[in-house]
Amino acid sequence: MLLLVLAGGAARGQSALDLYGVLDAGVVRHGGCANCATGALSAGIASPSLLGIRGREALGERVAAVFTLEAGLLNDTGEPDQNGRLFGRLAYIGLDGRLGALTLGRQDNPQYLSLTDVADPFKGGMAGNAGNLMGYTVKRYDNTIKYATPPLRGIHASAIYSFGESPYSSAANRAWGAMLGYAKGPLNVSVAHQRKDNIIAGNGGAATLDTSARNTLVAANVNLGHATVFAAYGVNKGQGSSPWDPANPYGALALALGSGDSRDVLLGVALPFGRATYLASYIRKDDREAANRDARQIAVGLTYTLSRRTDFYAAYAKIRNSNGAGYTVGNASDAGRGSAAFNIGLRHSF
């Protein structure tokens, strides 16, 4: 009996701490822009460079305390990413048990995860990043409560609520979202929705600007053995619902907002061949507003595995903007400068 009690106490006190990270750097050459630097050494092209710590402590009754702290890095200059935040990527604590995980802190937007993890053959990186045209550009939210179910026969789900915590109105900056997915065998399907309230109050004579967003995404990929095919369809509502760069990269005389009502379609493929995987995707953004600012992106690329943790990559993408649309070709860490880009680089994870 004494041995059983001691064994139970040891299990209850078990803990694990992991240090992990990604370093990614390469050369990016921009095109389709009149007054921008065309070539640069950049960090976080295929995947964001990051350094993270995650921990887990068994509390007994199959419940564990969990935490993650994840910092973004610009390893081309040694500076922090996410506008200098210490742990700007992830920072949360919570409980994980048989009924799922409940976590509190800065966490990922489930609609963004469905886009990058399920729909995009480029996984949200390189020039072919689906986020150049699709979905909501905010990848993660502050002040967030998240619940994720345990997987059950391939079915999994999650939901988040982000408190606005605006000094004037808690509703002015709040967000919520949910995702339902199925991943089993060769099939991976996800349906995600997110809503972000983003009302910027005017000062003095300035008008109030509402850049709120509502995004719904249906994403899927199927592994056929010799290839994996990808597809997605998105519905976007609100002036903040599509990628929009307030820096006005094309230097237009009148800065245009992104589309407030659009539909997105993505088709893609990943073809493994030896150590190489060849990637291609086509994305069409259909603007339903009167301005009809449509856009199309075509992208090709490859990754070449050098070891279990290190790979080489290269990609090219071009966007065709219509009727004054201002979408740019970016990558995992940068919004881009013009309507085309080529990248080549090296990535290592640990």
Side-chain angles (χ1 to χ4, degrees), residues 191-256:
V191 179
H193 177 81
Q194 77 90 38
R195 174 165 182 158
K196 169 69 171 176
D197 293 331
N198 194 20
I199 301 173
I200 304 173
N203 294 320
T208 297
L209 180 62
D210 186 355
T211 58
S212 298
R214 302 185 305 279
N215 302 85
T216 302
L217 179 72
V218 180
N221 67 68
V222 182
N223 187 339
L224 303 176
H226 60 281
T228 301
V229 294
F230 299 79
Y233 181 77
V235 177
N236 314 293
K237 298 277 191 177
Q239 286 302 327
S241 64
S242 293
W244 171 58
D245 188 355
N248 192 17
Y250 291 106
L253 294 177
L255 176 60

Side-chain angles (χ1 to χ4, degrees), residues 149-329:
T149 67
L152 177 63
R153 297 180 181 179
I155 299 173
H156 56 97
S158 64
I160 66 166
Y161 181 83
S162 172
F163 293 86
E165 298 195 13
S166 166
Y168 306 107
S169 169
S170 61
N173 199 36
R174 66 186 174 186
W176 62 268
M179 180 276 298
L180 177 64
Y182 176 82
K184 191 173 183 180
L187 180 62
N188 192 349
V189 180
S190 178
V191 179
H193 177 81
Q194 77 90 38
R195 174 165 182 158
K196 169 69 171 176
D197 293 331
N198 194 20
I199 301 173
I200 304 173
N203 294 320
T208 297
L209 180 62
D210 186 355
T211 58
S212 298
R214 302 185 305 279
N215 302 85
T216 302
L217 179 72
V218 180
N221 67 68
V222 182
N223 187 339
L224 303 176
H226 60 281
T228 301
V229 294
F230 299 79
Y233 181 77
V235 177
N236 314 293
K237 298 277 191 177
Q239 286 302 327
S241 64
S242 293
W244 171 58
D245 188 355
N248 192 17
Y250 291 106
L253 294 177
L255 176 60
L257 291 173
S259 171
D261 184 2
S262 67
R263 306 293 184 271
D264 301 328
V265 174
L266 178 151
L267 297 173
V269 63
L271 296 166
F273 188 79
R275 291 191 173 191
T277 299
Y278 298 91
L279 309 169
S281 68
Y282 170 79
I283 302 172
R284 181 175 186 268
K285 175 169 284 293
D286 178 18
D287 182 12
R288 301 295 180 89
E289 293 188 314
N292 196 29
R293 297 189 181 97
D294 295 341
R296 294 174 174 84
Q297 174 178 288
I298 187 167
V300 292
L302 70 88
T303 62
Y304 186 86
T305 300
L306 301 174
S307 72
R308 186 169 62 90
R309 297 181 176 182
T310 305
D311 67 343
F312 159 87
Y313 59 83
Y316 174 81
K318 183 174 179 60
I319 292 177
R320 181 178 178 182
N321 288 303
S322 300
N323 302 319
Y327 299 102
T328 55
V329 177

Side-chain angles (χ1 to χ4, degrees), residues 41-108:
L41 178 67
S42 297
I45 300 169
S47 299
S49 293
L50 60 93
L51 182 64
I53 305 170
R54 58 183 165 228
R56 183 181 186 91
E57 182 189 19
L59 302 177
E61 302 298 330
R62 297 173 65 181
V63 176
V66 295
F67 77 88
T68 295
L69 296 172
E70 196 171 284
L73 305 172
L74 298 174
N75 50 289
D76 55 337
T77 63
E79 297 175 328
D81 202 357
Q82 284 82 44
N83 298 317
R85 294 189 188 210
L86 179 58
F87 296 110
R89 288 184 52 82
L90 295 171
Y92 64 81
I93 187 171
L95 295 174
D96 185 13
R98 290 175 294 174
L99 300 180
L102 182 67
T103 48
L104 313 172
R106 179 168 170 81
Q107 304 182 74
D108 288 322

